[in-house]
Amino acid sequence: MSKSVSHSSSKSLSRPFQYPSAAAPLSCGPHSLADLAVQYGTPLYVYSADQILERLALFQQSLAARPHLVCYAVKANSSLAILKLLAAHGAGFDIVSGGELQRVLTVAPEAAARVVFSGVGKTASEIDLALEANILAFNVESESELALLASRAAKRKRKARFALRVNPDVFAETHPYISTGLREHKFGIDIRQARSIYNEAAANRWLSAHGVSVHIGSQIRSADPFGAAMQRVARLVQQLAGDGIRIKSVDAGGGLGIDYHAASNFDPQAKVLEYTSALEAALTGLDVQLLLEPGRFLVAQAGALLARVLYVKRNGKKTFVVTDAATNDLIRPALYQAFHEIVPVSPRPGRASAVDVVGPVCETGDFFARDRKLKPLEPGDLVAILDAGAYGMVQSSNYNTRPRPAEVLLHGDKATLIRRRETIADLLAPELHDVTNRY
Ligand SMILES: *Cc1c(COP(=O)(O)O)cnc(C)c1O
């Protein structure tokens, strides 16, 4: 792994989808995206396993001086094949539901010992499942959840390792829907109350205070708020040590952002170093394991959504490029006003002009780009919507009774179908329509 990192240019670390030469179509290593589109159809999610592993190694290597565990945030992309790949390379997992735990157990049961369970609304049955699997720790978000955890653990006579997810009251600049580290947000326990809760929990024989965790939001570009939050966590760990409670791990959460704009000089290796240095600086002198929960940073740039242009239509002054992918396949532009680069797979000569790239779904919010300067596109052309590996397929839906895309994982010179395209029969299968005798 270290070899591939040090030998890769920053450019390939940033994006695996490149034009090998000026005249050549877009590809991913030896793979032609045009060929993949023909073989598997469109819309199609394509992921580079090589890049995902490079990103994992960046974190693992920059933390080499301290006991650490990179717990991939499953919700960013929960594809079984990707979980299996990450587990095989030593990753742990951050889960937010019993369903995500079942995914991990399905592909890598031995990785249960590397699972942390986050989320504000864990149910009793989800807690039971995680106790049964003997996961590493529960990131507990409220006193009532801690009480439920204690009672489920007592029932099973199995000690539960927990970390309180503290809310450090740190401001992180990101989209308001994905900012979580302020007291006004629903997440975590006010850090000022955490110490007394740990002390109370120490009296319960079914609870074991394992760690302190924090997660301040998503798509955060600066390392500063992560460092500031970790400083507050470190202070709490020291206070607890004074109380006789020895914390074994601190969990910095996820949230490290990427650059969705191609023009920038985004250097993932430098970014990870800046981030882990900020965390390390806060932890100086503390003998704790460091857990990270990156999601987006590991998988976003490894993925592209391939779509075919169906129509190019002009309404007055506007030009619309209608693709066969839609907002049900990738909701980020509609939900977060997110920017995604869109590039033609085989660029045509000619001047770029401003177009809206939209899908067939019956919603004005069904767009991938507005007034975007793109090279000429014709019906039948392929486009790649870049940086779609995180919060893409996992947030897809069947709105408009659209079967979800297939997914392909590229690893070296191998291309593997990791999820077949849904059929209409798949979509209709859970439905019961024999209602005539009820009327
Ligand atoms: C969503 C989430 C993550 C991952 O966030 P990214 O921005 O994808 O890195 C990690 N931890 C928790 C608790 C989360 O809710």
Side-chain angles (χ1 to χ4, degrees):
M1 278 315 300
S2 59
K3 221 166 150 198
S4 74
V5 170
S6 52
H7 288 201
S8 302
S9 71
S10 261
K11 208 175 164 202
S12 80
L13 275 174
S14 181
R15 280 207 182 81
F17 303 97
Q18 303 284 340
Y19 300 105
S21 65
L26 193 70
S27 59
C28 179
H31 302 280
S32 146
L33 295 184
D35 291 350
L36 293 173
V38 169
Q39 186 172 355
Y40 298 103
T42 54
L44 179 72
Y45 274 102
V46 180
Y47 309 109
S48 162
D50 302 287
Q51 192 190 63
I52 294 170
L53 295 179
E54 276 177 7
R55 290 283 169 102
L56 175 65
L58 287 182
F59 284 104
Q60 290 171 333
Q61 286 165 12
S62 73
L63 293 176
R66 170 184 294 277
H68 65 272
L69 182 61
V70 179
C71 294
Y72 167 63
V74 173
K75 75 173 191 280
N77 184 323
S78 57
S79 156
L80 292 175
I82 290 175
L83 300 183
K84 187 162 185 158
L85 178 78
L86 286 165
H89 287 80
F93 298 96
D94 171 49
I95 58 163
V96 293
S97 72
E100 288 188 350
L101 178 55
Q102 303 270 30
R103 284 184 174 272
V104 173
L105 296 176
T106 298
V107 294
E110 74 290 350
R114 304 196 297 267
V115 166
V116 295
F117 192 173
S118 302
V120 289
K122 303 176 190 76
T123 64
S125 63
E126 287 177 317
I127 290 172
D128 288 350
L129 184 67
L131 282 171
E132 199 52 48
N134 203 12
I135 64 164
L136 176 60
F138 292 81
N139 288 338
V140 170
E141 300 227 12
S142 65
E143 279 185 88
S144 36
E145 182 192 329
L146 190 61
L148 178 62
L149 178 62
S151 79
R152 303 313 295 186
K155 202 166 208 158
R156 309 187 93 75
K157 304 219 180 328
R158 177 168 271 182
K159 218 167 172 136
R161 285 173 296 274
F162 76 95
L164 292 189
R165 173 171 172 185
V166 297
N167 186 321
D169 199 32
V170 165
F171 176 73
E173 202 161 330
T174 184
H175 190 278
Y177 287 5
I178 51 179
S179 170
T180 59
L182 282 177
R183 213 166 277 150
E184 69 204 54
H185 297 133
K186 71 177 175 184
F187 298 97
I189 290 172
D190 190 331
I191 193 162
R192 297 169 303 181
Q193 285 157 18
R195 187 176 172 186
S196 70
I197 300 173
Y198 276 105
N199 275 282
E200 274 170 49
N204 189 312
R205 60 181 292 216
W206 300 111
L207 293 177
S208 163
H210 183 78
V212 178
S213 78
V214 72
H215 173 73
I216 57 174
S218 197
Q219 183 52 12
I220 297 166
R221 303 292 316 283
S222 159
D224 298 341
F226 294 108
M230 195 42 76
Q231 271 163 18
R232 294 178 192 193
V233 167
R235 203 175 312 142
L236 175 61
V237 170
Q238 275 160 343
Q239 289 169 344
L240 291 172
D243 297 340
I245 297 171
R246 206 184 90 65
I247 293 297
K248 296 184 192 66
S249 78
V250 296
D251 181 340
L256 186 61
I258 58 147
D259 201 321
Y260 283 92
H261 292 261
S264 73
N265 289 318
F266 181 64
D267 179 348
Q269 192 159 17
K271 196 37 107 179
V272 168
L273 264 179
E274 182 194 341
Y275 169 72
T276 52
S277 305
L279 299 177
E280 278 296 344
L283 292 173
T284 309
L286 279 191
D287 175 22
V288 287
Q289 180 189 38
L290 177 56
L291 268 52
L292 303 181
E293 302 171 352
R296 186 191 315 267
F297 202 91
L298 287 183
V299 294
Q301 298 192 294
L305 176 58
L306 274 184
R308 207 172 277 284
V309 175
L310 299 174
Y311 303 101
V312 178
K313 61 182 271 184
R314 288 172 187 90
N315 280 359
K317 272 185 278 180
K318 282 193 83 87
T319 300
F320 293 93
V321 173
V322 185
T323 68
D324 62 1
T327 198
N328 73 293
D329 304 308
L330 176 66
I331 202 176
R332 297 189 71 259
L335 189 58
Y336 312 111
Q337 292 87 47
F339 177 95
H340 283 268
E341 292 289 354
I342 301 177
V343 295
V345 169
S346 302
R348 293 175 180 275
R351 279 189 32 222
S353 63
V355 299
D356 282 17
V357 181
V358 303
V361 160
C362 303
E363 292 273 338
T364 304
D366 179 21
F367 65 90
F368 294 121
R370 283 186 165 149
D371 293 322
R372 182 76 60 85
K373 282 216 148 180
L374 294 183
K375 288 286 222 177
L377 287 166
E378 304 279 344
D381 287 1
L382 286 168
V383 292
I385 303 169
L386 300 182
D387 304 332
Y391 306 106
M393 185 63 172
V394 284
Q395 293 201 79
S396 63
S397 77
N398 296 120
Y399 188 39
N400 283 202
T401 307
R402 288 170 50 85
R404 281 176 292 181
E407 295 176 288
V408 169
L409 185 66
L410 307 178
H411 202 170
D413 56 9
K414 281 208 305 284
T416 312
L417 182 69
I418 58 171
R419 184 185 163 106
R420 65 164 171 81
R421 188 173 301 285
E422 280 174 341
T423 63
I424 299 295
D426 290 332
L427 270 57
L428 302 190
E431 295 193 35
L432 310 168
H433 57 85
D434 186 16
V435 291
T436 42
N437 55 11
R438 295 211 201 134
Y439 292 105

Short mmCIF file of all heavy atoms in Angstrom, two decimals, residues 229-276:
data_model
loop_
_atom_site.label_atom_id
_atom_site.label_comp_id
_atom_site.label_asym_id
_atom_site.label_seq_id
_atom_site.Cartn_x
_atom_site.Cartn_y
_atom_site.Cartn_z
N ALA A 229 -12.27 20.77 18.56
CA ALA A 229 -13.16 19.79 19.21
C ALA A 229 -12.33 18.77 19.98
O ALA A 229 -12.67 18.38 21.10
CB ALA A 229 -14.03 19.10 18.16
N MET A 230 -11.22 18.33 19.38
CA MET A 230 -10.40 17.30 20.03
C MET A 230 -9.74 17.85 21.30
O MET A 230 -9.55 17.12 22.27
CB MET A 230 -9.37 16.76 19.03
CG MET A 230 -8.69 15.48 19.43
SD MET A 230 -9.76 14.21 20.18
CE MET A 230 -10.62 13.54 18.77
N GLN A 231 -9.42 19.15 21.30
CA GLN A 231 -8.86 19.74 22.52
C GLN A 231 -9.85 19.65 23.67
O GLN A 231 -9.49 19.35 24.81
CB GLN A 231 -8.47 21.20 22.27
CG GLN A 231 -7.04 21.32 21.78
CD GLN A 231 -6.75 22.67 21.13
OE1 GLN A 231 -7.51 23.62 21.34
NE2 GLN A 231 -5.68 22.73 20.37
N ARG A 232 -11.12 19.90 23.36
CA ARG A 232 -12.14 19.80 24.42
C ARG A 232 -12.32 18.37 24.89
O ARG A 232 -12.51 18.10 26.08
CB ARG A 232 -13.46 20.39 23.92
CG ARG A 232 -13.30 21.89 23.69
CD ARG A 232 -14.51 22.57 23.15
NE ARG A 232 -14.07 23.92 22.73
CZ ARG A 232 -14.88 24.90 22.42
NH1 ARG A 232 -16.18 24.75 22.45
NH2 ARG A 232 -14.40 26.06 22.06
N VAL A 233 -12.24 17.44 23.94
CA VAL A 233 -12.34 16.02 24.29
C VAL A 233 -11.15 15.63 25.19
O VAL A 233 -11.33 14.95 26.21
CB VAL A 233 -12.37 15.14 23.02
CG1 VAL A 233 -12.15 13.67 23.36
CG2 VAL A 233 -13.70 15.33 22.29
N ALA A 234 -9.96 16.11 24.82
CA ALA A 234 -8.75 15.76 25.59
C ALA A 234 -8.86 16.27 27.02
O ALA A 234 -8.48 15.58 27.97
CB ALA A 234 -7.51 16.33 24.90
N ARG A 235 -9.39 17.48 27.17
CA ARG A 235 -9.55 18.04 28.52
C ARG A 235 -10.47 17.15 29.35
O ARG A 235 -10.22 16.84 30.51
CB ARG A 235 -10.11 19.46 28.42
CG ARG A 235 -9.80 20.32 29.63
CD ARG A 235 -10.28 21.77 29.42
NE ARG A 235 -9.88 22.30 28.12
CZ ARG A 235 -10.65 23.11 27.36
NH1 ARG A 235 -11.86 23.44 27.75
NH2 ARG A 235 -10.20 23.55 26.22
N LEU A 236 -11.56 16.69 28.72
CA LEU A 236 -12.50 15.80 29.42
C LEU A 236 -11.81 14.49 29.82
O LEU A 236 -12.00 14.00 30.95
CB LEU A 236 -13.72 15.53 28.52
CG LEU A 236 -14.75 14.53 29.04
CD1 LEU A 236 -15.37 15.00 30.36
CD2 LEU A 236 -15.86 14.31 28.00
N VAL A 237 -11.01 13.93 28.91
CA VAL A 237 -10.31 12.66 29.20
C VAL A 237 -9.41 12.85 30.43
O VAL A 237 -9.34 11.97 31.30
CB VAL A 237 -9.50 12.18 27.98
CG1 VAL A 237 -8.58 11.01 28.35
CG2 VAL A 237 -10.44 11.77 26.84
N GLN A 238 -8.74 14.01 30.50
CA GLN A 238 -7.86 14.27 31.65
C GLN A 238 -8.66 14.43 32.94
O GLN A 238 -8.27 13.90 33.99
CB GLN A 238 -7.01 15.52 31.39
CG GLN A 238 -5.76 15.20 30.61
CD GLN A 238 -5.15 16.40 29.91
OE1 GLN A 238 -5.80 17.44 29.74
NE2 GLN A 238 -3.91 16.27 29.50
N GLN A 239 -9.78 15.13 32.86
CA GLN A 239 -10.62 15.28 34.05
C GLN A 239 -11.11 13.92 34.54
O GLN A 239 -11.11 13.63 35.73
CB GLN A 239 -11.85 16.16 33.74
CG GLN A 239 -11.49 17.63 33.55
CD GLN A 239 -12.67 18.43 32.98
OE1 GLN A 239 -13.63 17.85 32.46
NE2 GLN A 239 -12.59 19.74 33.08
N LEU A 240 -11.50 13.07 33.57
CA LEU A 240 -11.99 11.74 33.94
C LEU A 240 -10.88 10.91 34.59
O LEU A 240 -11.13 10.17 35.55
CB LEU A 240 -12.57 11.02 32.72
CG LEU A 240 -13.87 11.64 32.17
CD1 LEU A 240 -14.27 10.98 30.85
CD2 LEU A 240 -15.01 11.50 33.18
N ALA A 241 -9.66 11.04 34.07
CA ALA A 241 -8.53 10.33 34.67
C ALA A 241 -8.39 10.73 36.14
O ALA A 241 -8.16 9.89 37.02
CB ALA A 241 -7.25 10.61 33.90
N GLY A 242 -8.58 12.03 36.40
CA GLY A 242 -8.53 12.53 37.77
C GLY A 242 -9.63 11.91 38.63
O GLY A 242 -9.47 11.75 39.85
N ASP A 243 -10.75 11.57 38.00
CA ASP A 243 -11.86 10.94 38.73
C ASP A 243 -11.67 9.43 38.86
O ASP A 243 -12.54 8.72 39.37
CB ASP A 243 -13.18 11.17 37.97
CG ASP A 243 -13.54 12.65 37.87
OD1 ASP A 243 -13.02 13.44 38.68
OD2 ASP A 243 -14.34 13.00 36.98
N GLY A 244 -10.58 8.92 38.31
CA GLY A 244 -10.33 7.48 38.37
C GLY A 244 -10.96 6.70 37.22
O GLY A 244 -11.05 5.48 37.27
N ILE A 245 -11.39 7.41 36.17
CA ILE A 245 -11.99 6.72 35.01
C ILE A 245 -10.99 6.80 33.86
O ILE A 245 -10.69 7.88 33.34
CB ILE A 245 -13.33 7.39 34.61
CG1 ILE A 245 -14.33 7.24 35.75
CG2 ILE A 245 -13.87 6.78 33.32
CD1 ILE A 245 -15.60 8.04 35.58
N ARG A 246 -10.44 5.61 33.49
CA ARG A 246 -9.42 5.61 32.46
C ARG A 246 -10.04 5.36 31.08
O ARG A 246 -10.54 4.27 30.80
CB ARG A 246 -8.35 4.57 32.75
CG ARG A 246 -7.01 4.94 32.10
CD ARG A 246 -5.93 3.90 32.28
NE ARG A 246 -5.90 2.90 31.20
CZ ARG A 246 -5.62 3.16 29.92
NH1 ARG A 246 -5.37 4.38 29.52
NH2 ARG A 246 -5.60 2.18 29.03
N ILE A 247 -10.00 6.40 30.26
CA ILE A 247 -10.56 6.32 28.90
C ILE A 247 -9.52 5.72 27.96
O ILE A 247 -8.37 6.15 27.96
CB ILE A 247 -10.96 7.75 28.44
CG1 ILE A 247 -12.13 8.28 29.29
CG2 ILE A 247 -11.30 7.78 26.96
CD1 ILE A 247 -13.41 7.48 29.18
N LYS A 248 -9.94 4.69 27.20
CA LYS A 248 -8.97 3.99 26.35
C LYS A 248 -8.89 4.55 24.94
O LYS A 248 -7.88 4.42 24.26
CB LYS A 248 -9.35 2.51 26.27
CG LYS A 248 -9.25 1.80 27.61
CD LYS A 248 -9.53 0.31 27.44
CE LYS A 248 -9.74 -0.37 28.78
NZ LYS A 248 -10.98 0.10 29.49
N SER A 249 -10.00 5.13 24.47
CA SER A 249 -9.96 5.61 23.09
C SER A 249 -10.71 6.92 22.94
O SER A 249 -11.67 7.19 23.68
CB SER A 249 -10.58 4.57 22.14
OG SER A 249 -11.98 4.62 22.20
N VAL A 250 -10.23 7.74 22.02
CA VAL A 250 -11.00 8.93 21.63
C VAL A 250 -11.34 8.78 20.16
O VAL A 250 -10.55 8.27 19.37
CB VAL A 250 -10.22 10.24 21.88
CG1 VAL A 250 -9.97 10.45 23.36
CG2 VAL A 250 -8.94 10.30 21.10
N ASP A 251 -12.54 9.18 19.82
CA ASP A 251 -13.06 9.00 18.46
C ASP A 251 -13.33 10.39 17.89
O ASP A 251 -14.17 11.13 18.40
CB ASP A 251 -14.35 8.17 18.56
CG ASP A 251 -14.99 7.88 17.21
OD1 ASP A 251 -14.69 8.61 16.24
OD2 ASP A 251 -15.79 6.92 17.14
N ALA A 252 -12.56 10.75 16.84
CA ALA A 252 -12.65 12.10 16.26
C ALA A 252 -13.82 12.24 15.29
O ALA A 252 -14.03 13.32 14.74
CB ALA A 252 -11.34 12.45 15.57
N GLY A 253 -14.57 11.15 15.07
CA GLY A 253 -15.69 11.22 14.14
C GLY A 253 -15.21 11.30 12.70
O GLY A 253 -14.07 10.98 12.39
N GLY A 254 -16.12 11.69 11.83
CA GLY A 254 -15.77 11.83 10.41
C GLY A 254 -15.87 13.29 10.01
O GLY A 254 -15.68 14.17 10.85
N GLY A 255 -16.16 13.53 8.75
CA GLY A 255 -16.48 14.89 8.34
C GLY A 255 -15.44 15.61 7.53
O GLY A 255 -15.69 16.72 7.05
N LEU A 256 -14.24 14.99 7.34
CA LEU A 256 -13.23 15.69 6.55
C LEU A 256 -13.72 15.83 5.11
O LEU A 256 -14.14 14.87 4.48
CB LEU A 256 -11.91 14.90 6.59
CG LEU A 256 -10.71 15.59 5.93
CD1 LEU A 256 -10.39 16.92 6.61
CD2 LEU A 256 -9.49 14.69 5.95
N GLY A 257 -13.68 17.07 4.61
CA GLY A 257 -14.28 17.37 3.30
C GLY A 257 -13.32 17.16 2.15
O GLY A 257 -12.11 17.09 2.31
N ILE A 258 -13.88 17.07 0.96
CA ILE A 258 -13.09 16.99 -0.27
C ILE A 258 -13.38 18.24 -1.09
O ILE A 258 -14.20 19.07 -0.71
CB ILE A 258 -13.47 15.74 -1.10
CG1 ILE A 258 -14.96 15.74 -1.45
CG2 ILE A 258 -13.09 14.48 -0.35
CD1 ILE A 258 -15.28 15.14 -2.78
N ASP A 259 -12.70 18.35 -2.24
CA ASP A 259 -12.97 19.48 -3.12
C ASP A 259 -13.73 18.98 -4.34
O ASP A 259 -13.21 18.18 -5.11
CB ASP A 259 -11.66 20.13 -3.54
CG ASP A 259 -11.91 21.55 -4.00
OD1 ASP A 259 -12.95 21.76 -4.67
OD2 ASP A 259 -11.11 22.42 -3.67
N TYR A 260 -14.95 19.44 -4.49
CA TYR A 260 -15.77 18.97 -5.60
C TYR A 260 -15.45 19.71 -6.90
O TYR A 260 -15.99 19.36 -7.95
CB TYR A 260 -17.26 19.10 -5.26
CG TYR A 260 -17.76 18.01 -4.32
CD1 TYR A 260 -17.76 18.19 -2.94
CD2 TYR A 260 -18.23 16.79 -4.81
CE1 TYR A 260 -18.21 17.20 -2.07
CE2 TYR A 260 -18.69 15.80 -3.96
CZ TYR A 260 -18.68 16.01 -2.59
OH TYR A 260 -19.14 15.01 -1.75
N HIS A 261 -14.60 20.74 -6.83
CA HIS A 261 -14.27 21.50 -8.04
C HIS A 261 -12.95 21.02 -8.64
O HIS A 261 -11.93 20.96 -7.96
CB HIS A 261 -14.17 23.00 -7.72
CG HIS A 261 -15.52 23.58 -7.37
ND1 HIS A 261 -16.28 24.28 -8.28
CD2 HIS A 261 -16.23 23.54 -6.22
CE1 HIS A 261 -17.41 24.64 -7.69
NE2 HIS A 261 -17.40 24.21 -6.44
N ALA A 262 -12.97 20.71 -9.92
CA ALA A 262 -11.79 20.14 -10.57
C ALA A 262 -10.66 21.15 -10.68
O ALA A 262 -9.50 20.77 -10.69
CB ALA A 262 -12.16 19.63 -11.97
N ALA A 263 -10.98 22.44 -10.75
CA ALA A 263 -9.95 23.44 -11.01
C ALA A 263 -9.00 23.62 -9.82
O ALA A 263 -7.90 24.13 -9.97
CB ALA A 263 -10.60 24.77 -11.35
N SER A 264 -9.41 23.20 -8.64
CA SER A 264 -8.59 23.45 -7.46
C SER A 264 -7.38 22.52 -7.43
O SER A 264 -7.33 21.52 -8.13
CB SER A 264 -9.42 23.19 -6.22
OG SER A 264 -9.60 21.81 -6.08
N ASN A 265 -6.43 22.85 -6.59
CA ASN A 265 -5.25 21.99 -6.44
C ASN A 265 -5.41 21.12 -5.21
O ASN A 265 -4.57 21.14 -4.32
CB ASN A 265 -3.99 22.84 -6.30
CG ASN A 265 -3.65 23.52 -7.60
OD1 ASN A 265 -3.73 22.90 -8.66
ND2 ASN A 265 -3.29 24.79 -7.53
N PHE A 266 -6.47 20.39 -5.13
CA PHE A 266 -6.75 19.58 -3.95
C PHE A 266 -5.72 18.46 -3.83
O PHE A 266 -5.53 17.68 -4.77
CB PHE A 266 -8.16 19.01 -4.06
CG PHE A 266 -8.57 18.19 -2.89
CD1 PHE A 266 -8.70 18.76 -1.64
CD2 PHE A 266 -8.84 16.84 -3.04
CE1 PHE A 266 -9.09 18.00 -0.55
CE2 PHE A 266 -9.23 16.07 -1.95
CZ PHE A 266 -9.35 16.66 -0.71
N ASP A 267 -5.09 18.40 -2.69
CA ASP A 267 -4.07 17.38 -2.45
C ASP A 267 -4.49 16.54 -1.24
O ASP A 267 -4.31 16.93 -0.10
CB ASP A 267 -2.72 18.06 -2.19
CG ASP A 267 -1.60 17.04 -1.91
OD1 ASP A 267 -1.92 15.85 -1.68
OD2 ASP A 267 -0.43 17.45 -1.91
N PRO A 268 -5.10 15.38 -1.48
CA PRO A 268 -5.65 14.58 -0.38
C PRO A 268 -4.60 14.19 0.66
O PRO A 268 -4.89 14.15 1.85
CB PRO A 268 -6.22 13.34 -1.06
CG PRO A 268 -6.12 13.56 -2.51
CD PRO A 268 -5.28 14.76 -2.79
N GLN A 269 -3.38 13.92 0.18
CA GLN A 269 -2.33 13.49 1.11
C GLN A 269 -2.01 14.61 2.10
O GLN A 269 -1.93 14.39 3.31
CB GLN A 269 -1.09 13.11 0.31
CG GLN A 269 -0.05 12.38 1.12
CD GLN A 269 0.90 11.58 0.22
OE1 GLN A 269 0.98 11.81 -0.99
NE2 GLN A 269 1.60 10.64 0.81
N ALA A 270 -1.87 15.84 1.57
CA ALA A 270 -1.58 16.99 2.43
C ALA A 270 -2.76 17.25 3.37
O ALA A 270 -2.59 17.61 4.54
CB ALA A 270 -1.29 18.22 1.58
N LYS A 271 -3.97 17.07 2.85
CA LYS A 271 -5.17 17.31 3.66
C LYS A 271 -5.23 16.37 4.86
O LYS A 271 -5.50 16.78 5.99
CB LYS A 271 -6.39 17.14 2.75
CG LYS A 271 -7.70 17.68 3.23
CD LYS A 271 -7.62 18.96 3.99
CE LYS A 271 -8.09 20.20 3.32
NZ LYS A 271 -7.98 21.41 4.17
N VAL A 272 -4.97 15.09 4.60
CA VAL A 272 -5.01 14.10 5.68
C VAL A 272 -3.94 14.42 6.74
O VAL A 272 -4.20 14.34 7.94
CB VAL A 272 -4.84 12.67 5.13
CG1 VAL A 272 -4.60 11.67 6.25
CG2 VAL A 272 -6.08 12.27 4.34
N LEU A 273 -2.76 14.82 6.27
CA LEU A 273 -1.69 15.15 7.21
C LEU A 273 -2.06 16.34 8.08
O LEU A 273 -1.84 16.33 9.30
CB LEU A 273 -0.41 15.48 6.44
CG LEU A 273 0.58 14.33 6.28
CD1 LEU A 273 1.80 14.77 5.48
CD2 LEU A 273 1.00 13.81 7.67
N GLU A 274 -2.64 17.36 7.44
CA GLU A 274 -3.04 18.56 8.17
C GLU A 274 -4.08 18.18 9.25
O GLU A 274 -4.02 18.61 10.40
CB GLU A 274 -3.64 19.54 7.16
CG GLU A 274 -4.07 20.88 7.70
CD GLU A 274 -4.94 21.63 6.69
OE1 GLU A 274 -4.91 21.30 5.48
OE2 GLU A 274 -5.68 22.53 7.12
N TYR A 275 -5.00 17.32 8.84
CA TYR A 275 -6.09 16.89 9.72
C TYR A 275 -5.56 16.07 10.90
O TYR A 275 -5.83 16.38 12.07
CB TYR A 275 -7.07 16.07 8.87
CG TYR A 275 -8.14 15.31 9.60
CD1 TYR A 275 -9.21 15.97 10.20
CD2 TYR A 275 -8.12 13.91 9.64
CE1 TYR A 275 -10.21 15.25 10.84
CE2 TYR A 275 -9.11 13.19 10.27
CZ TYR A 275 -10.15 13.87 10.88
OH TYR A 275 -11.14 13.16 11.50
N THR A 276 -4.76 15.05 10.60
CA THR A 276 -4.28 14.19 11.69
C THR A 276 -3.30 14.95 12.58
O THR A 276 -3.23 14.69 13.78
CB THR A 276 -3.63 12.90 11.14
OG1 THR A 276 -2.65 13.23 10.18
CG2 THR A 276 -4.67 11.99 10.52
#
